[in-house]
Structure formats: structure tokens, C-alpha cells
């Protein structure tokens, strides 16, 4: 029996080591779906509830596995739905291959049902590689290039397959290579190192400084040991961009934590007072949180030369792999004997964690959302994976969760889209089925698309050796981050028609999906709820009723700025006095000796 094109595609995915494809069926990929059925779960077809969720799951899988994620969708509406998840992959530099159906070739151009110009639709999000396959002999090269380019460029790529082609007999390319039309699947391992003279210049800059700051991002993940060593030699403090939050343990006394609007005060002070800056694997965009222009001499290390020197006027730019480049740099950097700067950094860090604990333990109505993450931080397993959604809960993930051991974590760092928290967690479970996963999700994101994916969790839980997947919902009936942005940035009180969410029991919905649901309405119940969830033998949803008026105060906020926000609030916010009281006592914790 001749092999169909759909069967060849599935076989090639298997040869690339793909274990699962996240997707949703439709008649534009009928031939491909039938081939998955004949493949007997190798690779597995993982059915999301929505194509956008499939793309997020592929992105989450890629982030936590280090491999290429794969998603698929039908033509027209299915393809359109993939876009947000693929843009998330593009902006966070994550390798994903999307395989998309298309109208039959004979019908194209005839305004046929679900016919969309997919070349135009995907040309931006898949700008590194986008191809429509119109004859079977294109396939080996097209699929292989999609994988190689996705991995090499750390970007989404897309292969478009017309529906009628998928059901045709597969015939390999008829040229000199015959049955070997493309190199065997596999990715080369490379280590790019800058020229020695440039590394020496970088060492000279670091040696000349007396107050060195280091900023790391996700590009430093393979170089954690080298970052620690360079920090020890220079006496530097290390701040972390959000995508690099899991690179170094927060138990290291010189790690100042997150930076930016969602950052910590010691990271703000580190950048405010340094005279030298080393940036490793980060494209942190908010230059207002970096040193003042002209204040610091700067060095940057990044594998991508197109992203270097963009955020701060760097004196030395080293284009190379972070681990290999730092390994070459380390022997050239002298150890600083004067540790006053380091002592100041460590003192600021220790005081900050005391402040966060006091803020987390403040009374609220009913539960302080900071305490939700603080109590998790006290209990979380050292090998846990944490996904965070976009919203005010992201603040508490950034500031209150102490990473340690082999913990991993991520979020939509650059697109900052709502909705990836739960599908990321599903992707993480397929990447590491033997590790516990926790998703921290606001109720706005949960209502937007997280609720449906509880069904996906229930469906596939038995594929995971460790079934612990905890979805923690910050239940405050408010689109809270935007509410605070309206107050602080727009000078406007909360507009309830826009911001208030319908009230619903997330725990009840979880139970109806076949999961365990736990409702928390009092702070004293938080610890036991986390203990129960983290020791369960199945997925759990924590429905925590939180106070929406606990403010996500930026580390640089002054009393004058808080006064301006308060004046906006008093112009019509529905719970103005409680909000002001909560904000004042939260800010006051920073000034306790």
C-alpha cells in the first residue's frame, strides 16, 4: 500500500524526535489527522480546546523542554486562531513549528469556504521560514528546514499543506539524491565565541569598575555557574529580567531579583548606584530601569547580534554563546578585594525579603494575594515548574516567589498576552511528566481561556508519571492589572463596566471537569490548601478569594506618585478608602528598620 503524504509528514515528525503535536482537528487537515490515527500515538496528537491554546502549549513545551514545539490547525479559522500563541513564541524567541491546512489546490482562488491567504496571514509571525507545499517532493526539504530554522533562529516557522495534497500518495523527490532528499534530522551543537581582543576589552571595563551590576535574561540559562563566578570575582549584584527569573537561585545573597515595574527595590538600587553594567542574554526593554545614561560603562553578551546594544549604550558588545563567552572572560577578570559594594547589595537583598514577607502577611479582604505566593514559596518542591499569566498576579510571581534548586518558570515575557498560564502548564507537563507544575493565573485570564483547558488537563493527566498540576486562581472579580494601570497611569478611577468580572466558583468548575477543587476564603487556610495541592496524586485547582485593592507598587514609587494615584482614586473609585489604606500600609513596610 502506497504511503500518503499525511503519513510521510507524521513519519518525518517522528524522525525529528517529536513525541506530541498540540492541535485541533478540522477538514483542512483531515489527511493529517487520519495519519496521526494510523501512527498509534507516535507521535501523539494532543487535542487542545482551541487552536490558540495549542500554540501556547507548543510554546510552553518548547520553553521547558529546550526542544522544538509543534502545533497544527486546519485552514481558515483554525490557522487564524494559532496566531497569538505563535506571536508569543516569536517575541520570546522560542522554537515552534506550525503545520497548517489549506483549501484544496483546485479550489484556491475561487472564494472557497475557509479560503484565507495564509501566506499573507503568516508572513510576519513566521518571517524566518514560511512555505506552502504544493507537490509531495517539496516535503522533505520543507519540513527539515522548518525544524532547523526554528531551532537555529529560536523562532516559529510554518508549513502550509493543502488538504487534497495530504491524501495523495507520497513520492520522494526525483533527483540525484533519490531517497535522501534532505540531510537526516538532527541539529548541530555549536558554541560561538567572540574574538579574544574583544573579550579582553570587556575584562578591562569590568576591572575598572568598583560598583558592578549584572543583568541576566533567559539567554544566560546555560551559563548559571559562570554568572555566579563572574559575580563573585567582580563583587557584583545580579538582577534578573522576568524571562531569566529561573536562571539563578534567589537564595544567593547577591541576587537582587526581578527588575522593572514588577521588580524589586534592591534591583532598582543596584541599577541606580552602579558604575559598571554587564548584560548577559537579556533584551530587557525598559531603559528607565537601567543606569542613567553616562553613569555606567557597559558590556553586553548575546548570541544574537541584531539584539545587542539596543537598550543601553554598551561600550563592548560580545556576540556569542553566554556560557562559552563567560568561560573565556573569567580568567581575564581580576577578583576585587574591596567588598563594600557587595556587602551593600547583600544588605539590601536581605532587607527586601523581610519587607516582602511583612507585606505578604498584611491583613486584607479576604486574602492578601501576595501571601498566596509567599505561602507557596515556603513549600514549593525544588524541582517544580511554575507558569505565570499576565495580570496583577504576575507581580506576585515576580516579587514573592523565591526560586531555588532546579525550579523552572516562565510567562509571556514580551507579548505579555493574557491566557498562556494554563496551556503553558500543560506543555510543561508533556515536557517533564515527572515534575510538579504550578500555574499562577488571574481570574480574568482564567475566564478568557483557562477554564476550557481544565478539560484538557483531565483528559491527559494519566499520561504524566507525576499528576501534580496545580492551577491557582487569584479570584478577585477584577481585571486587576488594568484597573491599577488606569489609576496610576491614566489618572482615572476604576470603571466597573470595563473592569468587573462575573463571579463564579472556579473550584466547582474544576470539580465538574473531574479535578479536585479547593476554595480558600481565609488567609489562615492558605498554608494547608497549598500542602494539600502539592501532595495530591492528581491535578488540583485552588480558588483563592483575593483582595483586589492590594497595590502592585513599583520599586521606584514615591509618596508623591502614590498621592497622585490616591487623588485619582478619590474621584470615584468604588472602594477608595480601603484601597488607600491597603496601599499606605503596604508601602510603609519598606521603611520599617
Amino acid at each position: 500500500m502506497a504511503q500518503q503524504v499525511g503519513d510521510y509528514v507524521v513519519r518525518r515528525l517522528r524522525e525529528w524526535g517529536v513525541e506530541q503535536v498540540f492541535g485541533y482537528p478540522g477538514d483542512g487537515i483531515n489527511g493529517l489527522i487520519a495519519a496521526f490515527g494510523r501512527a498509534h500515538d507516535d507521535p501523539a496528537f494532543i487535542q487542545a480546546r482551541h487552536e490558540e491554546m495549542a500554540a501556547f502549549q507548543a510554546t510552553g513545551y518548547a520553553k521547558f523542554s529546550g526542544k522544538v514545539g509543534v502545533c497544527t490547525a486546519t485552514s481558515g479559522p483554525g490557522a487564524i486562531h494559532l496566531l497569538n500563541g505563535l506571536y508569543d513564541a516569536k517575541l520570546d524567541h522560542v522554537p515552534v513549528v506550525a503545520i497548517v491546512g489549506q483549501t484544496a489546490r483546485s479550489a484556491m482562488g475561487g472564494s472557497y469556504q475557509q479560503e484565507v491567504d495564509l501566506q499573507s496571514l503568516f508572513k510576519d509571525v513566521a518571517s524566518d521560514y514560511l512555505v506552502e507545499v504544493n507537490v509531495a517532493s517539496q516535503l522533505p526539504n520543507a519540513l527539515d528546514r522548518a525544524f532547523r530554522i526554528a531551532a537555529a533562529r529560536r523562532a516559529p516557522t510554518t508549513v502550509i499543506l493543502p488538504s487534497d495534497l495530504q491524501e495523495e500518495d507520497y513520492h520522494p523527490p526525483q533527483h540525484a539524491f533519490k531517497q535522501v532528499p534532505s540531510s537526516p534530522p538532527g541539529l548541530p551543537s555549536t558554541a560561538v565565541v567572540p574574538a579574544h581582543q574583544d573579550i579582553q576589552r570587556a575584562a578591562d571595563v569590568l576591572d575598572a569598575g568598583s560598583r558592578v551590576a549584572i543583568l541576566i535574561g533567559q539567554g544566560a540559562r546555560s551559563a548559571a555557574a559562570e554568572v555566579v563566578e563572574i559575580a563573585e570575582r567582580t563583587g557584583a549584584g545580579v538582577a534578573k529580567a522576568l524571562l531569566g527569573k529561573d536562571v539563578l537561585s534567589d537564595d544567593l545573597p547577591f541576587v537582587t531579583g526581578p527588575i522593572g515595574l514588577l521588580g524589586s527595590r534592591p534591583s532598582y538600587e543596584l541599577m541606580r548606584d552602579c558604575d559598571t553594567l554587564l548584560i548577559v542574554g537579556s533584551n530587557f526593554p525598559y531603559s528607565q530601569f537601567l543606569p542613567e545614561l553616562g553613569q555606567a560603562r557597559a558590556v553586553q553578551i548575546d548570541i544574537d547580534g541584531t539584539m545587542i546594544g539596543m537598550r543601553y549604550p554598551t561600550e563592548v558588545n560580545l556576540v556569542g554563546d553566554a556560557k562559552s563567552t563567560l568561560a573565556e572572560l573569567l580568567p581575564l577578570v581580576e577578583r576585587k578585594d574591596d567588598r563594600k559594594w557587595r556587602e551593600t547589595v547583600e544588605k539590601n537583598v536581605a532587607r527586601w525579603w523581610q519587607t516582602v514577607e511583612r507585606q505578604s502577611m498584611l491583613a486584607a479582604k479576604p486574602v492578601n494575594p501576595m501571601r498566596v505566593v509567599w505561602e507557596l514559596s515556603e513549600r514549593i518542591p525544588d524541582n517544580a515548574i511554575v507558569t505565570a499569566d499576565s495580570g496583577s498576579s504576575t507581580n506576585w510571581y515576580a516579587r514573592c516567589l523565591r526560586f531555588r534548586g532546579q525550579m523552572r518558570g516562565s510567562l509571556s515575557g514580551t507579548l505579555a498576552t493574557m491566557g498562556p498560564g494554563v496551556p503553558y502548564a500543560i506543555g510543561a507537563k508533556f515536557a517533564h511528566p515527572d515534575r510538579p507544575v504550578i500555574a499562577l493565573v488571574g481570574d480574568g485570564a482564567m475566564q478568557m481561556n483557562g477554564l476550557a483547558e481544565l478539560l484538557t488537563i483531565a483528559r491527559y493527566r494519566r499520561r504524566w508519571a507525576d499528576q501534580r498540576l496545580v492551577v491557582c486562581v487569584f479570584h478577585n472579580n477584577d481585571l486587576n492589572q488594568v484597573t491599577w494601570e488606569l489609576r496610576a497611569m491614566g489618572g482615572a478611577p476604576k470603571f466597573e463596566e470595563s473592569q468587573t468580572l462575573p463571579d463564579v466558583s472556579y473550584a466547582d468548575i474544576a470539580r465538574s471537569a473531574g479535578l479536585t477543587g479547593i476554595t480558600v476564603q481565609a488567609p489562615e487556610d492558605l498554608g494547608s490548601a497549598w500542602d494539600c495541592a502539592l501532595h495530591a496524586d492528581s491535578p488540583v485547582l485552588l480558588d483563592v478569594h483575593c483582595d483586589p485593592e492590594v497595590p502592585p507598587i513599583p520599586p521606584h514609587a514615591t509618596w508623591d506618585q502614590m498621592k497622585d494615584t490616591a487623588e485619582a482614586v478619590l474621584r470615584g473609585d468604588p472602594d477608595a478608602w480601603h484601597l488607600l489604606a491597603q496601599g499606605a500600609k503596604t508601602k510603609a513596610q519598606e521603611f520599617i528598620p
Side-chain angles (χ1 to χ4, degrees):
M1 180 178 175
Q3 183 184 47
Q4 290 188 359
V5 165
D7 294 300
Y8 176 81
V9 172
V10 171
R11 189 188 88 192
R12 201 62 172 174
L13 293 177
R14 187 184 308 125
E15 290 170 349
W16 272 100
V18 175
E19 296 177 342
Q20 64 279 307
V21 174
F22 303 95
Y24 201 82
D27 61 1
I29 52 171
N30 273 351
L32 190 60
I33 295 299
F36 276 112
R38 292 188 289 268
H40 303 294
D41 220 36
D42 184 21
F45 181 87
I46 304 301
Q47 184 200 81
R49 314 272 58 77
H50 188 284
E51 292 90 351
E52 181 182 354
M53 301 302 99
F56 279 141
Q57 287 161 17
T59 301
Y61 172 83
K63 282 190 171 189
F64 293 114
S65 70
K67 302 176 183 178
V68 177
V70 183
C71 58
T72 188
T74 188
S75 56
I80 292 166
H81 285 159
L82 286 177
L83 287 179
N84 196 45
L86 293 179
Y87 269 110
D88 184 44
K90 181 183 178 76
L91 271 60
D92 277 358
H93 307 287
V94 179
V96 173
V97 172
I99 300 174
V100 183
Q102 177 57 297
T103 300
R105 290 165 295 179
S106 59
M108 289 176 65
S111 191
Y112 197 72
Q113 184 185 33
Q114 297 189 340
E115 181 184 356
V116 171
D117 183 355
L118 297 183
Q119 292 277 353
S120 296
L121 186 72
F122 282 88
K123 70 179 180 180
D124 179 53
V125 74
S127 57
D128 284 282
Y129 188 69
L130 167 64
V131 62
E132 182 173 302
V133 177
N134 283 305
V135 292
S137 56
Q138 281 181 262
L139 268 171
N141 198 264
L143 285 170
D144 292 352
R145 289 204 74 205
F147 274 88
R148 289 196 172 97
I149 291 172
R153 302 272 177 84
R154 304 180 314 283
T157 60
T158 300
V159 177
I160 302 168
L161 296 176
S163 59
D164 57 331
L165 175 67
Q166 298 166 34
E167 297 176 338
E168 284 188 358
D169 289 346
Y170 172 71
H171 298 287
Q174 296 301 307
H175 53 59
F177 291 111
K178 299 294 182 184
Q179 301 296 328
V180 190
S182 183
S183 300
L187 299 169
S189 177
T190 60
V192 180
V193 180
H196 178 78
Q197 61 266 30
D198 292 330
I199 296 176
Q200 182 62 64
R201 289 174 54 223
D204 293 342
V205 171
L206 296 176
D207 285 344
S210 59
R211 301 187 305 278
V212 180
I214 299 175
L215 171 61
I216 59 173
Q218 63 177 341
R221 183 167 292 111
S222 66
E226 289 77 11
V227 171
V228 170
E229 180 60 26
I230 200 78
E232 291 289 3
R233 292 200 180 197
T234 60
V238 182
K240 302 187 289 187
L242 267 184
L243 286 174
K245 182 172 170 62
D246 60 356
V247 172
L248 289 186
S249 170
D250 287 307
D251 286 344
L252 293 169
F254 54 85
V255 171
T256 61
I259 186 173
L261 279 170
L262 280 61
S264 72
R265 185 156 191 86
S267 290
Y268 169 72
E269 293 164 340
L270 181 75
M271 296 296 158
R272 183 193 65 191
D273 299 334
C274 71
D275 63 12
T276 308
L277 174 63
L278 172 62
I279 305 172
V280 183
S282 174
N283 187 36
F284 176 73
Y286 302 107
S287 57
Q288 66 268 37
F289 290 97
L290 297 177
E292 293 288 339
L293 296 183
Q295 170 188 322
R297 300 177 70 186
V299 174
Q300 186 170 3
I301 301 171
D302 203 289
I303 192 67
D304 188 349
T306 67
M307 305 300 288
I308 209 161
M310 291 201 320
R311 307 306 186 190
Y312 194 79
T314 42
E315 188 173 331
V316 183
N317 290 317
L318 302 177
V319 178
D321 168 73
K323 184 178 182 68
S324 302
T325 302
L326 285 172
E328 295 289 324
L329 178 62
L330 276 166
L332 306 178
V333 175
E334 297 177 358
R335 177 180 171 83
K336 298 188 188 302
D337 294 325
D338 186 346
R339 310 306 277 186
K340 290 180 182 177
W341 171 245
R342 166 60 74 81
E343 290 167 2
T344 298
V345 169
E346 293 186 359
K347 180 181 177 181
N348 291 342
V349 170
R351 180 175 178 181
W352 169 254
W353 283 117
Q354 293 171 356
T355 299
V356 170
E357 181 175 15
R358 287 195 300 267
Q359 291 177 337
S360 300
M361 293 303 169
L362 289 172
K365 297 194 309 185
V367 176
N368 184 337
M370 295 181 71
R371 183 167 177 174
V372 177
V373 181
W374 184 263
E375 296 279 6
L376 167 64
S377 198
E378 297 285 287
R379 296 165 169 81
I380 191 167
D382 285 357
N383 68 336
I385 299 172
V386 184
T387 67
D389 218 297
S390 297
S392 62
S393 62
T394 320
N395 293 273
W396 319 133
Y397 163 80
R399 294 179 188 161
C400 304
L401 186 60
R402 295 184 75 147
F403 272 70
R404 61 178 181 272
Q406 300 302 309
M407 286 174 60
R408 290 292 313 278
S410 195
L411 72 172
S412 177
T414 311
L415 187 61
T417 179
M418 287 176 67
V422 175
Y424 267 22
I426 294 169
K429 286 301 291 187
F430 279 99
H432 298 283
D434 58 340
R435 295 173 66 171
V437 174
I438 298 103
L440 302 175
V441 185
D443 49 3
M446 200 66 193
Q447 290 189 14
M448 181 178 281
N449 50 34
L451 290 173
E453 290 308 308
L454 296 178
L455 298 172
T456 307
I457 294 170
R459 178 173 184 171
Y460 293 108
R461 53 183 275 196
R462 289 176 179 82
R463 290 178 179 255
W464 307 324
D466 183 334
Q467 290 192 25
R468 286 178 295 174
L469 195 167
V470 184
V471 178
C472 177
V473 180
F474 292 75
H475 184 163
N476 57 25
N477 298 324
D478 182 43
L479 291 172
N480 201 231
Q481 185 74 7
V482 175
T483 295
W484 284 105
E485 288 169 349
L486 280 169
R487 291 163 173 162
M489 299 164 65
K494 176 179 176 179
F495 175 44
E496 292 195 80
E497 282 301 311
S498 163
Q499 300 308 112
T500 300
L501 292 167
D503 193 19
V504 65
S505 171
Y506 302 95
D508 283 350
I509 293 173
R511 285 189 283 268
S512 72
L515 308 179
T516 299
I518 300 173
T519 301
V520 178
Q521 294 180 306
E524 60 270 19
D525 296 334
L526 260 178
S528 60
W530 274 121
D531 287 335
C532 181
L534 293 172
H535 291 90
D537 58 3
S538 62
V540 175
L541 184 139
L542 290 185
D543 182 356
V544 186
H545 290 245
C546 295
D547 191 336
E549 310 306 352
V550 174
I553 302 173
H556 64 297
T558 65
W559 284 110
D560 285 343
Q561 290 169 328
M562 292 185 67
K563 174 175 169 288
D564 292 342
T565 302
E567 289 174 350
V569 166
L570 290 173
R571 285 197 287 269
D573 230 88
D575 202 4
W577 289 109
H578 170 59
L579 183 158
L580 294 178
Q582 202 70 48
K585 66 182 182 181
T586 300
K587 183 66 177 177
Q589 305 310 305
E590 295 184 25
F591 300 94
I592 296 175

